[in-house]
């Protein structure tokens, strides 16, 4: 590569594609935070389409990977140890109050 070509490339303004990628990445980060970090590329893509931003699932997947964003199911569900024992020990109190036919 020539020196003049390198400096021309370095001083060139950002392309429209790169600007659109930056806008999409900002929207993806915002959506991902808003849905408790549980949305993957397909669901994020659906939400982006609903909000009027055009892109493909592959592009969303690439941008999520480059931004280090992953879908996570960890922390979405609470594990309550002993819950089953509590409910089984109380019995059916409503059934005892109902009149027998």
């Amino acid at each position: 590569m020539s020196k003049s070509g390198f400096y021309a490339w370095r001083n060139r303004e950002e392309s429209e594609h790169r600007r659109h990628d930056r806008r999409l990445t900002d929207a993806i980060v915002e959506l991902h935070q808003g849905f408790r970090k549980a949305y993957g590329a397909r669901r994020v893509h659906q939400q982006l389409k609903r909000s009027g931003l055009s892109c493909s699932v592959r592009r969303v997947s690439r941008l999520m990977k480059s931004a280090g964003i992953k879908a996570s199911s960890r922390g979405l569900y609470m594990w309550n140890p002993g819950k089953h024992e509590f409910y089984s020990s109380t019995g059916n109190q409503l059934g005892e109050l109902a009149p027998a036919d």
Side-chain angles (χ1 to χ4, degrees), residues 7 13 17 30 38 46 48 74-75 80 85 92-93 97:
Y7 288 112
E13 69 179 54
H17 190 270
E30 186 178 326
Q46 290 173 351
L48 289 173
R74 187 173 177 211
N80 296 320
E85 288 83 13
N92 187 358
Q93 295 176 355
L97 298 175

Side-chain angles (χ1 to χ4, degrees), residues 3 5 8-9 14 17-18 25 30-31 36 44 46-47 49 56-58 61 63 68 70 79-80 85 88 90 96 100:
K3 288 181 183 180
W9 167 79
E14 194 175 40
H17 190 270
R18 185 70 52 115
T25 303
E30 186 178 326
L31 276 172
R36 298 181 355 182
V44 169
Q46 290 173 351
Q47 292 295 325
K49 275 178 55 176
S56 67
V57 177
R58 255 181 87 183
S61 178
L63 292 173
K70 293 181 183 177
W79 180 60
N80 296 320
E85 288 83 13
S88 62
T90 57
E96 295 170 4

